[in-house]
Amino acid sequence: MDLNELRNKIDSIDKELVKLFKERMETAAEVGRFKQENGIPVFNRQREREIINNVTESVPEELQSYAKTLYQTLFELSRSYQKRIIYPQSDFSKMIEEATAGEPLPMPERATVACQGVEGAYSQFACDKMFAYPSIMYFSGFEDVFKAVDSGLCRYGILPVENSTAGSVNKVYDLMNKYKFYITHSLKLFIGHTLLAPRGVKLEDVKEVFSHEQALNQCSEYLAKLGVKITVCENTAVAAKMVAQSGRTDCAAIGSKDCAELYGLSVLKSGIQNTDNNYTRFICISKKLEIYAGADKTSIMMTLPHKPGALYNVISGFAALGLNMTKLESRPLPGTNFEFMFYFDINASVYSENLRVLLNELEHDAEQFSYLGSYTEG
């Protein structure tokens, strides 16, 4: 046979495969309805294992791993299709429909916004990029920002969630599980750290450096060479202000260049972060669900049954629906025996039908499920 004849043969086989695939999926849907009527779970690990064993035994050894992969994919598609049919529309899907009804609107230019720290904090820079005319209220801790939004004192709150060098801000992720909120916008901000000291202080005079834990981690290589005492503060701008008011001549702070001008400090060294590719991702949260024009990213949180395959089943649902998961974060749940809360970021338009289907599935499968909002990222 020549190549064209071989291709024609594959085309003929594919026609039969498509016909059989359609028939298999229709039968899987009938199975799903039967399970729903009789209170039987969609996922049956034992049944799937039996099928894979039978299939792999009926093909040559060199094809067994391929056959296993093929049928694992079929199982994922079948489960997803069954859930699509038997699960009713979730409350979160209804909320999204209501929030996206009508003409898409841009984020407001003016708002009262809660930020952690003081003037000169990186949260303030993120806020100024998200809003043209923000009225900023500063708070000492991350939880205070959540409380300000939760109480209605501020319409929005700005919080850092992860850094490209130092990783996730665990305190913020833990608080996400405690407060009810929605993400309205996300921003990646370049973080260039500077060593700041009172005027007249030289680099060789510095014996102690103050800053936020994340900033210290992001500058760990420089600090190791400097060989000084490290003291953690609640915020980089707070550290700069404290050093400026300390009256000491042997300490410095890690913060932004803006803090030098704000608090009358000298720049001893610029660009001291471990890498020039140092970005922090900030989120803007609100108490009410607000979805603005161009929303193409969705965040969710959930707890799963503490049993084998629970997380795999969730991830396979993403694959079956062709949705791209860009982040998976896990945090231990206090007071539990090795149970975790999982945080997911999904790249998909808020208008995507497959996104709505996935939310329906996850709300029914998870022990606890929270839709955290759909938004754009700048």
Side-chain angles (χ1 to χ4, degrees):
M1 285 188 181
D2 62 20
L3 182 59
N4 285 333
E5 289 175 322
L6 291 169
R7 285 175 171 170
N8 288 335
K9 185 176 181 181
I10 286 178
D11 289 343
S12 178
I13 294 170
D14 283 345
K15 287 180 181 178
E16 292 300 315
L17 283 176
V18 169
K19 179 182 177 182
L20 292 171
F21 173 72
K22 180 182 176 183
E23 186 177 343
R24 191 186 196 285
M25 294 296 280
E26 289 172 349
T27 305
E30 292 178 17
V31 170
R33 294 188 188 96
F34 181 87
K35 289 178 177 179
Q36 182 187 34
E37 292 170 1
N38 293 275
I40 302 172
V42 170
F43 181 50
N44 187 331
R45 180 184 295 277
Q46 183 178 354
R47 168 67 174 160
E48 292 185 2
R49 186 182 294 111
E50 290 173 357
I51 293 174
I52 286 178
N53 287 339
N54 292 334
V55 168
T56 53
E57 286 176 357
S58 64
V59 299
E61 185 176 351
E62 66 268 21
L63 294 179
Q64 287 180 0
S65 63
Y66 298 106
K68 180 179 180 180
T69 301
L70 171 63
Y71 271 81
Q72 284 176 331
T73 303
L74 282 173
F75 296 153
E76 292 168 6
L77 298 175
S78 295
R79 287 196 301 267
S80 179
Y81 192 51
Q82 288 178 13
K83 292 173 183 177
R84 187 177 195 142
I85 292 172
I86 67 178
Y87 287 163
Q89 184 183 30
S90 71
D91 292 337
F92 295 106
S93 291
K94 295 174 183 176
M95 287 170 54
I96 293 172
E97 285 186 1
E98 293 175 1
T100 54
E103 189 72 20
L105 298 173
M107 276 190 69
E109 293 187 333
R110 298 179 184 273
T112 303
V113 186
C115 289
Q116 189 259 349
V118 295
E119 193 75 14
Y122 289 109
S123 291
Q124 176 233 309
F125 300 153
C127 180
D128 286 335
K129 285 185 174 292
M130 292 185 197
F131 299 93
Y133 312 105
S135 176
I136 302 177
M137 296 183 68
Y138 292 103
F139 298 88
S140 60
F142 293 139
E143 185 162 15
D144 297 321
V145 174
F146 278 98
K147 287 180 178 178
V149 174
D150 189 60
S151 67
L153 181 62
C154 296
R155 180 174 175 180
Y156 300 107
I158 306 295
L159 293 155
V161 289
E162 63 180 320
N163 176 263
S164 56
T165 303
S168 299
V169 185
N170 291 332
K171 290 181 181 177
V172 173
Y173 277 100
D174 290 339
L175 289 166
M176 284 182 179
N177 190 37
K178 184 176 180 180
Y179 291 89
K180 183 174 176 58
F181 67 96
Y182 297 99
I183 301 173
T184 64
H185 192 69
S186 176
L187 173 74
K188 287 184 178 178
L189 182 71
F190 173 73
I191 306 295
H193 289 303
T194 305
L195 188 66
L196 308 170
R199 288 173 183 168
V201 174
K202 297 179 181 179
L203 186 59
E204 56 267 28
D205 299 329
V206 176
K207 300 294 186 291
E208 186 174 7
V209 173
F210 297 85
S211 197
H212 186 267
E213 181 181 12
Q214 283 276 323
L216 294 170
N217 290 337
Q218 293 161 29
C219 302
S220 59
E221 295 175 9
Y222 177 79
L223 291 171
K225 294 176 183 177
L226 205 58
V228 296
K229 180 182 177 182
I230 304 301
T231 301
V232 176
C233 292
E234 61 193 33
N235 185 272
T236 54
V238 169
K241 185 176 182 180
M242 185 176 67
V243 166
Q245 297 174 349
S246 68
R248 292 173 56 178
T249 57
D250 63 345
C251 65
I254 293 176
S256 66
K257 285 185 178 180
D258 291 52
C259 287
E261 184 176 348
L262 277 170
Y263 301 114
L265 297 170
S266 297
V267 175
L268 297 184
K269 183 73 174 178
S270 298
I272 63 173
Q273 63 275 5
N274 294 346
T275 172
D276 289 334
N277 187 34
N278 189 41
Y279 288 84
T280 293
R281 180 181 172 222
F282 291 84
I283 57 172
C284 177
I285 64 170
S286 65
K287 186 174 183 179
K288 295 181 180 179
L289 177 61
E290 301 179 15
I291 301 177
Y292 294 106
D296 58 1
K297 191 165 188 173
T298 292
S299 294
I300 57 177
M301 291 183 77
M302 69 182 77
T303 58
L304 299 172
H306 192 47
K307 60 184 181 181
L311 181 58
Y312 169 79
N313 290 337
V314 169
I315 295 174
S316 67
F318 284 79
L321 292 167
L323 295 171
N324 184 28
M325 178 180 64
T326 58
K327 183 177 178 65
L328 169 57
E329 183 81 18
S330 64
R331 293 295 300 155
L333 288 172
T336 64
N337 185 20
F338 296 104
E339 294 186 23
F340 293 84
M341 172 68 76
F342 294 94
Y343 174 98
F344 298 83
D345 283 340
I346 309 162
N347 270 12
S349 168
V350 70
Y351 299 102
S352 165
E353 177 63 24
N354 280 354
L355 177 64
R356 309 278 179 94
V357 171
L358 179 70
L359 295 180
N360 281 349
E361 290 184 13
L362 297 180
E363 185 180 2
H364 286 88
D365 290 345
E367 290 186 339
Q368 296 180 37
F369 178 82
S370 296
Y371 165 69
L372 301 182
S374 299
Y375 52 93
T376 58
E377 182 165 285

